[in-house]
Amino acid sequence: MSKPRDKDHDVGQTGHPGELVGVGEDVWMDVIQKMDEVYSDLLQYEVALEEKNAKLEESQQFILSVLTAMSDILVVCGRDGAIEDVNPALEVITGKSAEALRGSAIYDLFVGEGARDKARQLLTVFGEREVHDCELQLRAHDGSAVPVSFNCTPRFNAVGKSMGMVVTGRPVGELRKAYQALRQAHDDLKRTQQQLLHSEKMASLGRLVAGVAHELNNPISFILGNVHALRRYADRLETYLGAVHAGDSTEQLAEQRARLRIDRILADLDPLIEGTIEGAERTRQIVDGLKRFSAIDRDEQQPFDLAEVVERSVRWVSQAARKDFKVRLDIPAPLMMVGSAGQMQQVMMNLVQNAWDATSTLDHPRLQISAEVDAAAAQVCLRFEDNGPGIDPANLAHVFDPFFTTKPVGQGTGLGLAISYGIIERHGGRLSAANASAGGAMFTACLPLAPLTPAC
């Protein structure tokens, strides 16, 4: 009698092919679950692969669009100089398709054995170093030679092994046109800047006409008074000399000399002449200062005394301002520097004029101008501190911007400080604005001094 088989361990086949006997339902559920998981993973892998393919196609399309849009030449070559890829710009110049260029030697693109040898040296001898702005003659589709400025950059694989070069180039003719356009734009900008500078200078000059007129009035009045005195003295001397030439007696001449006060006239002649010369010289200095200020500077590298420029600027502005506008100067003299005295006077007048504008509504307007000389650095820092309301903190960053002004319409162009900032920079200095600790605005102009000439 046979032994009965264990139900749980008895796996066999039925009469139907492929049908297993003794396999439980739990086993089939596990198999189905595993199949679902594998199928789900396959679907995820497929989705991820499609996304990567889409990104790859997008990247390829982007690279192709960039290469097509490039106006510069692009050539990718191997270590042996064989062309691997080119962009459409090279196709246009050479008249050959990318398929025809691939596999050919890059050296064959150049005109002349010298250019080919030089290209061979750059790509082989210096194959692992960058090359910049190397001009070579490229053969065009019509057989002509096109000068091209080339740049070569080596390319490496993931382990750092050299794989060849990436060569870019731009026809030199286009570069020359670009440089010429840039130079023209620079010249136009310089000319416009000079016009703005001169325009602002003329505006400043117009505001100071009253002060300069007063400054000129004193020496001219002094000269005029002296000339009238000399005219009266000349009439008396003419009368006395007439008596001398007429042969009058000694007693008569003595009487004439005393009556006409000839001795007093002779004593006054030297002081009158000296005073007239001094007044004329003072007038000449004022006119010369006006000419230097108003003229367009031809030679901006001339030595001048900065202390004298500051004093003259203060005097001119103060004459046009209220009589109670007090300016205190604490500046050592001389302060010799090299540059444009006219432009520097424009800066100083702008700073003094701004201080007057800021304090004009106060009962006691004041301006303190002091200087700190750093002999070791050959530099002087001028500080202009007024007792006005100061500068709004929100405006401190914009006070030197062109056309920025807080003055009412018609009273300011917004160019004075901007132009002053540029003038100070061109003289190798710096101009800054801040609010003083005691209140009021403080402008600081630091400028280089001329080197001292050693004594013989």
Side-chain angles (χ1 to χ4, degrees):
M1 190 173 180
S2 61
K3 185 178 179 181
R5 290 179 295 182
D6 190 345
K7 181 179 180 181
D8 294 334
H9 296 278
D10 187 11
V11 178
Q13 292 184 342
T14 64
H16 299 285
E19 182 180 358
L20 296 178
V21 178
V23 177
E25 184 178 351
D26 293 341
V27 175
W28 285 110
M29 293 300 295
D30 289 341
V31 172
I32 293 172
Q33 185 178 358
K34 293 296 182 181
M35 291 178 63
D36 288 341
E37 290 178 359
V38 171
Y39 183 70
S40 177
D41 291 342
L42 287 174
L43 287 177
Q44 291 179 4
Y45 292 151
E46 184 178 1
V47 171
L49 185 60
E50 289 179 354
E51 290 178 353
K52 290 181 180 179
N53 286 336
K55 290 182 179 178
L56 180 59
E57 290 179 1
E58 184 180 349
S59 299
Q60 290 177 339
Q61 185 62 36
F62 174 75
I63 294 173
L64 180 61
S65 65
V66 171
L67 294 177
T68 305
M70 283 181 61
S71 59
D72 289 356
I73 296 169
L74 175 66
V75 184
V76 181
C77 61
R79 296 182 61 185
D80 57 353
I83 297 176
E84 297 180 5
D85 206 354
V86 299
N87 71 332
L90 183 63
E91 297 181 59
V92 172
I93 292 180
T94 60
K96 298 180 180 179
S97 65
E99 289 76 10
L101 291 170
R102 291 191 187 100
S104 62
I106 189 174
Y107 318 116
D108 296 337
L109 298 176
F110 303 104
V111 177
E113 194 60 34
R116 286 192 284 271
D117 290 342
K118 188 173 183 180
R120 189 174 290 106
Q121 182 184 25
L122 293 175
L123 295 177
T124 56
V125 179
F126 303 102
E128 295 186 0
R129 291 192 303 184
E130 293 185 359
V131 178
H132 297 285
D133 297 328
C134 176
E135 185 174 331
L136 296 172
Q137 301 284 338
L138 188 68
R139 188 186 303 278
H141 60 86
D142 58 357
S144 62
V146 179
V148 178
S149 177
F150 285 98
N151 295 306
C152 305
T153 305
R155 57 192 183 99
F156 304 94
N157 60 11
V159 296
K161 183 180 178 181
S162 175
M163 298 179 63
M165 299 286 284
V166 176
V167 182
T168 59
R170 174 174 294 182
V172 175
E174 295 183 9
L175 287 175
R176 287 172 180 162
K177 291 179 181 177
Y179 290 150
Q180 185 177 3
L182 182 62
R183 188 182 302 110
Q184 182 64 39
H186 182 257
D187 292 341
D188 292 343
L189 182 61
K190 286 179 62 177
R191 185 161 51 252
T192 303
Q193 185 182 32
Q194 287 293 333
Q195 291 172 351
L196 279 175
L197 178 65
H198 194 62
S199 176
E200 177 64 19
K201 186 183 294 186
M202 291 299 100
S204 300
L205 189 63
R207 290 195 300 266
L208 299 172
V209 167
V212 176
H214 190 280
E215 185 79 6
L216 284 170
N217 186 57
N218 290 334
I220 291 176
S221 298
F222 188 63
I223 293 172
L224 187 60
N226 287 354
V227 169
H228 282 303
L230 288 171
R231 180 62 181 269
R232 292 194 303 271
Y233 288 170
D235 291 340
R236 295 183 185 183
L237 287 173
E238 184 179 0
T239 301
Y240 180 72
L241 289 175
V244 170
H245 290 297
D248 290 354
S249 63
T250 304
E251 291 79 6
Q252 290 175 325
L253 291 176
E255 190 272 332
Q256 285 273 32
R257 189 182 185 96
R259 183 176 62 82
L260 296 174
R261 300 180 181 180
I262 299 301
D263 294 331
R264 180 180 175 183
I265 290 174
L266 294 177
D268 283 348
L269 281 179
D270 282 342
L272 283 174
I273 294 173
E274 289 294 332
T276 303
I277 293 174
E278 181 181 350
E281 181 64 23
R282 177 62 189 147
T283 303
R284 187 196 64 79
Q285 291 175 356
I286 295 172
V287 173
D288 186 56
L290 280 173
K291 286 171 60 180
R292 285 199 306 270
F293 177 72
S294 59
I296 298 176
D297 297 288
R298 301 301 179 188
D299 187 0
E300 298 184 358
Q301 297 300 317
Q302 294 292 331
F304 65 92
D305 184 1
L306 181 60
E308 179 184 338
V309 169
V310 175
E311 291 174 2
R312 182 166 58 244
S313 302
V314 169
R315 187 166 58 249
W316 286 6
V317 177
S318 298
Q319 292 292 350
R322 278 169 28 192
K323 296 300 180 183
D324 56 354
F325 179 49
K326 303 300 181 183
V327 181
R328 180 181 175 186
L329 282 172
D330 184 14
I331 299 178
L335 294 173
M336 300 304 298
M337 63 176 295
V338 176
S340 168
Q343 290 187 9
M344 197 54 59
Q345 183 173 337
Q346 182 177 2
V347 173
M348 300 304 147
M349 289 178 63
N350 275 332
L351 295 177
V352 177
Q353 183 69 43
N354 282 345
W356 159 239
D357 291 340
T359 60
S360 59
T361 58
L362 302 180
D363 294 334
H364 303 287
R366 297 192 311 274
L367 173 63
Q368 166 81 25
I369 305 177
S370 58
E372 181 180 343
V373 179
D374 186 347
Q379 176 181 267
V380 60
C381 286
L382 298 175
R383 291 186 176 85
F384 296 74
E385 301 180 53
D386 61 56
N387 65 333
I391 305 172
D392 189 331
N395 295 333
L396 272 175
H398 305 287
V399 292
F400 298 115
D401 291 348
F403 306 108
F404 177 82
T405 180
T406 57
K407 297 177 182 178
V409 177
Q411 294 187 17
T413 62
L415 290 174
L417 287 176
I419 290 176
S420 298
Y421 188 90
I423 292 174
I424 292 291
E425 273 199 333
R426 285 196 297 276
H427 283 76
R430 64 184 184 277
L431 179 62
S432 60
N435 285 314
S437 57
M442 179 176 68
F443 287 87
T444 304
C446 294
L447 290 159
L449 295 174
L452 297 176
T453 303
C456 296

